Amino acid sequence: MREVSAPPPIDRGFVRIAEGLIHYRTAGSATDRPPLWMMHAAPASSKSLESQLLPLAATRRVFAPDTLGYGDSAAPTVADPELTDYADAFLRAMDGLGLQQVDLYGFHTGAHIAIEIAIAAPQRVRRVVLDGLLVLSDAQRNEFLAHYAPVVSPDEQGTQVLWALNYIRDQAWFFPHFKRDAAHNMGLGAMPPEVVHYLTTELLKSLATYHLGYRAVFRHRVVERLQQISCPVLLVADPADPTRESVRIVGAQCPAIRCEMVPPETKTACLLAFLDANRP
C-alpha cells in the first residue's frame, strides 16, 4: 500500500519577554527561505491560523504567536497599549527565539501589528502580507472606539458568558456588529457551531484585555503608516471580508503596495508566490 505523507506537526512553546510568557505555535524546518511570523486577529489566538500555517510550513519554518492579552500569552503591562507596543513585544519575542530576519503575515489585527513591526525594524523584515485591514474615517474611528469593544467584567450571574456568545455571533452577521440592521447585515449566514464555540471561549479567556487590541487598531492611521514601510507589501482580502474595501482605498492611496482580492481557495498559492518572489 502506498504511503501517504503526513502533514508537518504543529509544535507549541513559550518564549519569555518582560511582560511574561508569549505562547506560540510552530511548524516546518529551517530552509533558505526566511521564517514566516504569522499574527492572528482579535479576539482569537494562533490556533485560528493552523489551517494556513500547515501548507506554508511545507517549505519554511513558521511561527504563529498569541498576541499579548490573547490566547495563552501574557497581558500587556501598558494600561492602554498602542500597536507599537504590540509590535515591540513581538520583536522581543523574535529576539528570544533567535530570529534575525522574517517575513510577516498578519490577519486583521495581526495585519495592523505587522505594519508597525515593519516600520520599527525594517532591517529584520523582508516581505509583508496583510490579510484584511480596517481603514476608518475620523467619524468611523470615533464610532468604533465608542461602541465596538466595550469593557466587560465577570459577574456573579455569569452574564459575560452570554454576552461573549452574542458578541461573536453578531460579528458573523453584521459589520460593524453593533449595527444590527438590514443595511449592515453581511448575508453570510451563521458561523459553524464549533467556530462560535472556539471564538467565544477565546474571548472569555481574554475578557480583561480583549478590548485593548481592538482599540489600538481603531486608533491606527493605516494609510499614513503604510507609506512608511520600505519592504515589499501585499494586501489581500477575501471578497466576503468585511474589511475588503481597504483593498480599494489602499490601492488608490499607496501605489507601491500590491493589492488584490483573493478568494480563500487561492490564498495560499497567492501568498507563496509573493513570499518566494526574488528570494535569495
Side-chain angles (χ1 to χ4, degrees):
M1 183 172 65
R2 185 169 62 91
E3 292 186 2
V4 178
S5 59
I10 296 178
D11 295 317
R12 299 170 66 180
F14 290 91
V15 58
R16 184 173 292 280
I17 62 173
E19 292 86 343
L21 293 173
I22 295 293
H23 172 256
Y24 63 90
R25 288 172 165 82
T26 186
S29 302
T31 67
D32 60 345
R33 297 166 171 84
L36 178 61
W37 188 265
M38 301 184 73
M39 292 165 284
H40 62 85
S45 69
S46 58
K47 181 176 175 59
S48 63
L49 297 176
E50 284 186 344
S51 63
Q52 291 175 269
L53 185 155
L54 283 172
L56 293 168
T59 57
R60 70 202 70 221
R61 187 75 183 271
V62 181
F63 293 85
D66 293 347
T67 303
L68 282 178
Y70 298 93
D72 292 317
S73 284
T77 53
V78 177
D80 199 13
E82 298 292 350
L83 290 171
T84 49
D85 297 305
Y86 291 101
D88 178 68
F90 275 154
L91 284 166
R92 287 181 280 121
M94 291 179 201
D95 290 340
L97 292 167
L99 304 180
Q100 298 303 311
Q101 187 183 55
V102 298
D103 288 332
L104 298 177
Y105 167 90
F107 181 59
H108 287 200
T109 306
H112 290 264
I113 298 172
I115 292 171
E116 295 306 320
I117 293 175
I119 294 172
Q123 74 284 1
R124 298 184 67 171
V125 178
R126 192 185 68 103
R127 287 182 173 247
V128 179
V129 177
L130 308 173
D131 194 345
L133 282 174
L134 187 62
V135 182
L136 299 173
S137 66
D138 287 339
Q140 289 172 320
R141 190 183 321 282
N142 293 334
E143 187 177 38
F144 275 59
L145 283 168
H147 302 294
Y148 199 99
V151 175
V152 178
S153 300
D155 60 34
E156 293 179 353
Q157 290 74 39
T159 59
Q160 72 277 3
V161 177
L162 184 58
W163 170 85
L165 174 63
N166 285 317
Y167 186 91
I168 295 300
R169 188 174 57 185
D170 286 347
Q171 282 189 328
W173 289 340
F174 304 100
F175 186 77
H177 70 85
F178 55 85
K179 293 188 175 182
R180 295 181 289 275
D181 55 34
H184 295 88
N185 191 317
M186 295 186 290
L188 301 178
M191 287 183 189
E194 60 274 14
V195 177
V196 174
H197 174 78
Y198 158 67
L199 290 174
T200 300
T201 56
E202 290 288 0
L203 176 54
L204 288 168
K205 281 176 64 176
S206 63
L207 192 67
T209 52
Y210 92 97
H211 58 286
L212 298 176
Y214 274 125
R215 293 182 179 185
V217 167
F218 302 152
R219 292 190 293 266
H220 201 209
R221 303 286 177 170
V222 177
V223 173
E224 296 173 19
R225 301 300 284 170
L226 280 170
Q227 293 169 344
Q228 298 184 43
I229 298 179
S230 56
C231 68
V233 179
L234 170 65
L235 169 61
V236 299
D238 182 325
D241 191 318
T243 72
R244 61 189 177 275
E245 180 67 6
S246 65
V247 173
R248 183 192 65 79
I249 296 171
V250 172
Q253 299 188 45
C254 302
I257 293 178
R258 178 176 157 191
C259 299
E260 297 186 18
M261 299 297 294
V262 180
E265 60 269 20
T266 61
K267 184 183 292 184
T268 296
C270 178
L271 267 56
L272 287 172
F274 174 76
L275 293 172
D276 289 341
N278 302 317
R279 64 183 179 86

